[in-house]
Amino acid sequence: MADDLVVVGGGITGQAAALAAAEAGARVTLIDWGRNAGSAANAGSLHVQMQSRFLRLNPHLAENVERSLPLYRAAVAEWARLDAALGGVEMSREGGLMLAETPAQMAFLETKAARERAQGLDVDLLDRGALDRIAPYLGPGLVGAELCRDEGKINPLVANARMTTRLEALRVRRVRDRIVSVTAEQAEGTDRYPARAVLVAAAWGSGALLPMLAMPTPPEPLHMNITEAGDYRIRHLVQHAERSITLKQFRSGQVVIGGGWPAEGGADGTPAVLSRSMAANVALAGRIAPGIAGLRVIRTWAGLNTPVDGKATIGPVAPGAALHVALPGDAGYTLGPIVGRAAAAVALGLEPPVDPAPYSPERWRQ
Amino acid sequence: MTRPVRFTFDGADIAAAPGASLAAALTAAGVRGFRETETGSERGIFCGMGVCQDCLVTVDGRPGRRACMTAAAEGLDVRRQPARPPLTPPPATTLTPVLRTPQVLVLGGGAGGLTAAIAAREAGAEVLLLDERTTTGGQYFKQASGSVPPLDAQQAEGARLVSAARAAGVEMLHGAEVWGAFPGPRILAADAAHVYDVAPRALIVATGAYERPLMIPGWTEPGVMTVGAAQTLWRSYRTLPGRRVAVFGNGPLSAQVALELARGGAEIAFLGEAAPDPLRRPGATFAMLRHDPRLAAKGAAMLAALARRGVRVAHGTRPTRIARQDATLTVSWEGPRGAAEAEVDAVCLSFGFHPQNEVLRLLAAQMRFDPRFEQLRPERDETCATTVPGVWAVGDCCGLGGAPAAAVEGRIAGRAAAGGGGPTAAERRALARHRGFQDALWRLYAATTQRIEDMAPDTLICRCEEVPRSALDASLDAGCEDIGAVKRATRIGMGRCQGRYCAPALAGYLARRAGADPVDAGYFAPRVPVKPVDIATLTAAEPLLAADADADAADG
Ligand SMILES: Cc1cc2nc3c(=O)[nH]c(=O)nc-3n(C[C@H](O)[C@H](O)[C@H](O)COP(=O)(O)OP(=O)(O)OC[C@H]3O[C@@H](n4cnc5c(N)ncnc54)[C@H](O)[C@@H]3O)c2cc1C
Ligand SMILES: Cc1cc2nc3c(=O)[nH]c(=O)nc-3n(C[C@H](O)[C@H](O)[C@H](O)COP(=O)(O)OP(=O)(O)OC[C@H]3O[C@@H](n4cnc5c(N)ncnc54)[C@H](O)[C@@H]3O)c2cc1C
Ligand code: FES
């Protein structure tokens, strides 16, 4: 019997899509190859403000990111909904800081903040005094920061585990298989999975499955570090105006240090850690928050990010088609739930939680 | 008698013998609990060799110091460590970055590493040897700290080997812990004053083994430690783990340590051996005699000496549970004569060994599962070269072979790594004999390893993250299939020991559920750091490694 929806890709986006469909009463199969999911490697930052790293590396895509800002706010609201629905994912929304070490960096943040406010974000600029009052854990050498109150963090380990349990309870069928082709009627791997609608949420695996779209999905291998647990003090998600870093503390005390330092290798193997990323990333974190220097780094890992063009892709491959796409783009763990739910709603003909029009696959059509 | 060293523990004065580890000094002073866990339980020494990370204390404001690896020094302010140390910036430490390019780098200064270093040096190579311990000799030759005379012939032989290495011109850095291994090979290490980035032409890994634990409810209590930890306390620091001690194990180490402790003045309340009585298996005993009558006789003499002190080995006996009331441990066991229990102040537990093969796995050396010893072993050719060009492996990090075999392997690999010839006929014969002896020895001591399936639901499988068997099973019932998924779902293996105790048990459990033998991928993926590493160390390493990044950029 054909399913109502077959979802290819079992990361956060595919899981959220399957969850939304199952909650709407659909019969769902979720197929995953079990390889290099960004959702199993990510650090659980809930990004809202424009990431300086992305802006610096991809200036030509800045506009895409800017126009997606409302989606980021909706994404955090969606996580808050999931936090309640799944029974707690260690979510906190105490805001995100982007630090400046020079007046020039502060000026960059001022311009950025103005653009973000125009998109409805709750942002403020803090001088050093104001910064010290809310973030006494920061080290010397900073002149100020931008505070984005919408930002926060979750524990992805907890979130993924809770998500799995919930899908199980809703009787979503989960299959481990590598899909090699998809049509509007089925997905095919070692087995065939017939369906009334097919949704591709396979991150770096998506491009190859959808040759009708000129959609680049090369994986970006990224590096992460984690320390042993310390007293919970770093409540914000901390970034830097010019340097690659995200620094935060799980409520369980471990400090997670990342921010886009490169790893090595692609989807055909397990990406490997680079020694220089480890040293430079951690050294920078130690300078920003000197209190973490009493903790030791206990593990590093590398995972695959799929930034695409920095903007989400949601909807059918052609108008009216039953073959659909759900790709979150940059900060994909933040966006995964909202993008997955929106794409599932579109595929099942239900009301989506956000207007998917700006994120249509139209831009990739050959 | 040299003057004692004085330091404080939570403000109380402690006197230590010069050279003693903090762990030994605290044990001598009757302190058992060194730190607190997330759930509020206490922990102290467990492995005694820097692996378990349970002996953490805060020293002079710097948390995360392993008491077993840190020497007591005059005036130290040592404190019990809370589960989550405060984020107060510790006093600044500046390490000097050092780039080294020796012809041969040896990791580990035990029987295997020392011999390899000497052989490479004799073949004309410039040799650097790193070992994380401050005392020399590795696990078999375990040297005493300070300037006490050797305890016995074994220690004296070790002292001669260490002097020979020094005389041969091997550069030995003690207290230097390897924390990173990258393709090249490229080895990153640190001691108290330096961070080393070593790019050798040839690498010999001789990192030895650590003990396979016996996981039973209560195995994490302070006062419960591995047999080797008790041995190190006594052999290196002349400190007894307790006055009344129970020892449980598998293999000759537990009887040997029981005897050493008894000679040192401890009362051995019970000595349990998991393997059945060898008298019931004369074939295996004969085989051992045939391979090495001298070593076999040594074993028999050891048992006789124990018997003279009234200690008899209870065969086919395993501990089942340990409960603690203040400093008193009640240990229960089961054997052919039924169940019994005893009150003691230390319990020593172990069940054979696990190879310390993290560096080899990180360098992507091909590993093979050995179903008899239930461990991964590297594939090696007859010169002990691994499948990674320029990387050799010798001794117990390749699976337990014993010190004599490690020494022969070291000689062979050391010469080969320095560009010399292959093994001589005599070396081949010696190796065959030592390996034959080990084979016969472990036939005599054959006992099924402890399996998760047989453990009580409240047994902690992961000591660090305090994950009981019941939570593990719940994750499997919820559909977790591979070891990575189980880890993410339960936090098993995410703690400071980096899965050294739980991973082998878990890999076997998952493989048996799937009806197959474990493979390399059935263990946690190897990742740096090899051991938890200070942020100060990484900060000091940054310029060394950034120079590398510049070179990459220049290359194109
Ligand atoms: C190290 C790292 C840290 C990150 N940190 C953050 C962060 O803090 N915050 C944030 O918002 N984002 C972060 N990201 C990005 C984020 O993790 C990803 O963008 C997000 O998880 C993508 O989710 P997804 O479900 O779309 O895809 P993924 O989680 O990547 O899942 C894709 C799945 O598709 C499957 N698949 C692929 N091809 C096929 C096929 N042919 N057949 C069947 N299955 C297939 C794969 O097996 C995989 O499971 C980080 C990424 C990395 C790598
Ligand atoms: C706890 C214990 C007790 C033992 N007691 C006995 C005994 O009483 N009698 C007996 O016959 N056999 C005993 N054995 C077995 C015996 O020690 C070995 O067979 C023999 O020592 C093998 O020599 P090796 O060189 O391979 O390893 P080892 O002697 O173990 O030497 C390995 C060395 O590598 C170093 N090392 C490991 N990892 C790192 C790192 N990351 N960075 C820097 N240095 C590192 C260690 O500090 C160690 O000194 C014991 C083994 C253990 C683990
Ligand atoms: S006892 Fe110190 S690390 Fe295990």
Side-chain angles (χ1 to χ4, degrees):
Chain A
M1 199 173 87
D3 282 311
D4 297 314
L5 183 68
V6 159
V7 181
V8 180
I12 190 66
T13 311
Q15 289 192 325
L19 175 66
E23 278 174 344
R27 226 179 89 105
V28 188
T29 294
L30 178 61
I31 307 162
D32 191 75
W33 186 6
R35 279 179 76 117
N36 290 326
S39 302
N42 84 95
S45 309
L46 295 182
H47 291 287
V48 176
Q49 61 178 313
M50 294 190 279
Q51 289 192 66
S52 60
R53 171 181 85 87
F54 193 83
L55 296 181
R56 272 183 294 110
L57 297 180
N58 308 285
H60 57 295
L61 298 173
E63 220 177 302
N64 277 350
V65 175
E66 186 169 8
R67 271 192 269 140
S68 303
L69 286 176
L71 187 63
Y72 283 89
R73 287 183 57 213
V76 174
E78 178 68 7
W79 267 116
R81 199 184 69 82
L82 279 178
D83 188 37
L86 299 179
V89 297
E90 284 185 23
M91 179 166 177
S92 81
R93 276 167 97 174
E94 292 174 82
L97 290 170
M98 192 170 286
L99 308 175
E101 282 178 291
T102 62
Q105 290 171 1
M106 206 60 211
F108 163 79
L109 292 179
E110 274 160 26
T111 320
K112 185 167 96 65
R115 286 164 76 175
E116 288 163 344
R117 244 186 234 118
Q119 300 289 334
L121 266 54
D122 184 359
V123 294
D124 254 328
L125 292 160
L126 309 178
D127 62 16
R128 182 71 218 222
L131 189 56
D132 282 341
R133 279 192 289 283
I134 65 162
Y137 52 80
L138 293 169
L142 302 168
V143 297
E146 179 186 353
L147 168 68
C148 175
R149 293 198 183 76
D150 307 288
E151 293 196 312
K153 57 196 175 187
I154 54 167
N155 186 334
L157 297 173
V158 177
N160 291 338
R162 292 270 152 108
M163 192 68 145
T164 305
T165 310
R166 182 86 183 112
L167 292 174
E168 191 101 345
L170 288 170
R171 297 179 182 284
V172 168
R173 180 164 74 118
R174 307 195 63 148
V175 181
R176 183 171 283 211
D177 198 353
R178 178 191 182 173
I179 297 303
V180 293
S181 75
V182 289
T183 65
E185 289 88 40
Q186 66 165 16
E188 187 174 347
T190 51
D191 218 331
R192 281 164 203 264
Y193 308 92
R196 273 186 278 282
V198 175
L199 174 64
V200 175
W204 45 264
S206 305
L209 291 175
L210 302 169
M212 67 294 274
L213 299 179
M215 187 173 65
T217 56
E220 177 192 34
L222 297 181
H223 176 93
M224 290 297 315
N225 314 275
I226 192 161
T227 70
E228 56 197 337
D231 190 23
Y232 181 54
R233 277 300 142 93
I234 304 179
R235 291 165 186 274
H236 306 101
L237 165 61
V238 181
Q239 299 184 76
H240 193 284
E242 210 161 78
R243 310 209 46 196
S244 291
I245 186 135
T246 58
L247 181 138
K248 64 180 171 295
Q249 197 175 12
F250 285 151
R251 286 222 294 262
S252 46
Q254 293 90 357
V255 179
V256 189
I257 303 166
W261 288 81
E264 205 170 33
D268 44 349
T270 312
V273 161
L274 293 171
S275 57
R276 53 177 185 276
S277 286
M278 180 186 184
N281 197 182
V282 172
L284 178 57
R287 279 194 283 276
I288 287 177
I292 68 171
L295 306 178
R296 296 169 301 164
V297 172
I298 55 173
R299 183 105 174 152
T300 61
W301 66 91
L304 296 185
N305 185 29
T306 311
V308 202
D309 60 344
K311 184 169 142 180
T313 304
I314 305 170
V317 297
L323 178 57
H324 295 255
V325 192
L327 282 177
D330 199 46
Y333 201 72
T334 307
L335 292 179
I338 192 78
V339 167
R341 184 148 81 99
V346 174
L348 296 173
L350 306 168
E351 182 65 29
V354 286
D355 175 14
Y359 312 105
S360 161
E362 181 66 42
R363 65 189 191 278
W364 304 121
R365 225 159 272 151
Q366 305 264 20
Chain B
M1 174 92 197
T2 29
R3 277 232 333 262
V5 167
R6 294 182 180 282
F7 66 94
T8 59
F9 183 67
D10 280 348
D13 286 322
I14 309 268
S21 67
L22 289 176
L26 290 171
T27 302
V31 179
R32 293 304 187 71
F34 296 180
R35 74 173 182 101
E36 230 177 47
T37 70
E38 195 67 26
T39 62
S41 31
E42 275 194 278
R43 292 288 168 87
I45 306 176
F46 179 66
C47 71
M49 58 182 287
V51 166
C52 74
Q53 306 278 334
D54 257 340
C55 62
L56 301 180
V57 287
T58 298
V59 180
D60 287 346
R62 183 168 286 277
R65 303 305 97 187
R66 284 166 299 175
C68 71
M69 302 292 280
T70 308
E74 191 66 35
L76 291 184
D77 170 15
V78 182
R79 292 180 184 269
R80 206 177 291 270
Q81 186 161 312
R84 299 185 188 181
L87 292 197
T88 328
T93 41
T94 322
L95 305 184
T96 309
V98 180
L99 179 68
R100 297 293 305 266
T101 53
Q103 266 171 296
V104 175
L105 171 66
V106 180
L107 302 186
L114 285 169
T115 320
I118 294 170
R121 192 72 200 98
E122 283 171 353
E126 174 214 352
V127 182
L128 176 65
L129 182 150
L130 304 180
D131 196 299
E132 65 190 334
R133 299 196 68 86
T134 45
T135 51
T136 55
Q139 290 295 350
Y140 179 74
F141 290 129
K142 237 174 237 160
Q143 295 296 290
S145 71
S147 47
V148 283
L151 194 60
D152 50 23
Q154 186 173 331
Q155 241 173 18
E157 189 188 344
R160 283 194 297 274
L161 190 60
V162 174
S163 316
R166 230 169 248 137
V170 174
E171 184 186 356
M172 286 189 275
L173 298 178
H174 274 274
E177 184 168 63
V178 172
W179 56 266
F182 293 91
R186 194 84 182 264
I187 299 296
L188 298 165
D191 62 20
H194 310 87
V195 52
Y196 302 96
D197 177 1
V198 193
R201 216 173 301 156
L203 172 69
I204 302 175
V205 180
T207 42
Y210 63 103
E211 286 163 282
R212 186 198 306 268
L214 266 167
M215 300 175 173
I216 53 174
W219 70 295
T220 52
E221 292 290 355
V224 181
M225 65 186 79
T226 66
V227 175
Q231 187 188 37
T232 302
L233 280 177
W234 177 244
R235 291 188 74 84
S236 286
Y237 307 114
R238 302 291 193 276
T239 300
L240 291 170
R243 268 166 301 123
R244 200 173 137 77
V245 186
V247 181
F248 296 87
N250 175 227
L253 179 64
S254 37
Q256 181 185 330
V257 173
L259 178 59
E260 289 170 0
L261 298 180
R263 283 185 175 145
E267 177 195 348
I268 303 301
F270 192 76
L271 171 57
E273 162 60 51
D277 192 344
L279 292 179
R280 306 243 170 84
R281 284 164 308 146
T285 313
F286 274 131
M288 204 176 63
L289 267 167
R290 188 164 50 80
H291 282 288
D292 200 329
R294 203 176 52 89
L295 273 181
K298 207 168 134 188
M302 185 172 79
L303 294 179
L306 274 169
R308 279 197 300 279
R309 291 171 183 271
V311 181
R312 271 172 223 288
V313 185
H315 286 276
T317 301
R318 297 178 188 235
T320 50
R321 193 169 278 276
I322 300 167
R324 184 172 64 94
Q325 184 70 46
D326 303 321
T328 306
L329 298 164
T330 305
V331 57
S332 315
W333 62 83
E334 269 171 28
R337 299 209 195 126
E341 60 176 49
E343 282 189 359
V344 292
D345 50 19
V347 179
C348 305
L349 302 174
S350 77
F351 204 108
F353 300 88
H354 287 307
Q356 302 212 75
N357 53 24
E358 300 82 16
V359 168
L360 295 170
R361 291 185 72 221
L362 265 170
L363 294 175
Q366 203 172 317
M367 308 296 283
R368 169 179 50 84
F369 181 75
D370 177 329
R372 181 168 164 209
F373 293 98
E374 302 195 23
Q375 55 190 211
L376 292 175
R377 297 182 171 213
E379 298 282 8
R380 295 183 296 167
D381 71 8
E382 64 161 11
T383 70
C384 299
T386 67
T387 54
V388 182
V391 180
W392 280 259
V394 303
D396 282 6
C397 66
C398 307
L400 192 75
V408 181
E409 290 183 2
R411 207 142 52 229
I412 295 171
R415 194 185 321 118
T424 63
E427 284 165 351
R428 274 182 232 264
R429 273 197 309 277
L431 201 50
R433 186 161 54 86
H434 297 318
R435 285 178 179 163
F437 176 78
Q438 282 289 322
D439 178 72
L441 178 72
W442 289 102
R443 261 178 227 296
L444 191 63
Y445 281 102
T448 40
T449 43
Q450 206 197 7
R451 307 200 144 182
I452 292 179
E453 332 23 355
D454 304 325
M455 294 178 193
D458 60 336
T459 311
L460 293 183
I461 309 289
C462 173
R463 326 176 30 100
C464 301
E465 297 293 319
E466 309 183 272
V467 185
R469 179 189 169 191
S470 51
L472 163 64
D473 284 344
S475 81
L476 295 171
D477 292 344
C480 288
E481 285 177 19
D482 58 62
I483 196 163
V486 171
K487 176 175 180 173
R488 289 189 292 267
T490 60
R491 298 197 59 84
I492 272 192
M494 287 204 175
R496 296 176 170 113
C497 91
Q498 303 163 308
R500 280 180 172 77
Y501 294 115
C502 59
L506 189 54
Y509 187 43
L510 295 181
R512 286 189 297 279
R513 283 171 65 106
D517 261 351
V519 289
D520 195 11
Y523 290 71
F524 295 132
R527 294 284 195 204
V528 283
V530 174
K531 295 276 179 77
V533 59
D534 282 326
I535 288 180
T537 302
L538 289 166
T539 305
E542 190 191 0
L544 288 170
L545 301 168
D548 207 37
D550 294 346
D552 285 359
D555 287 349

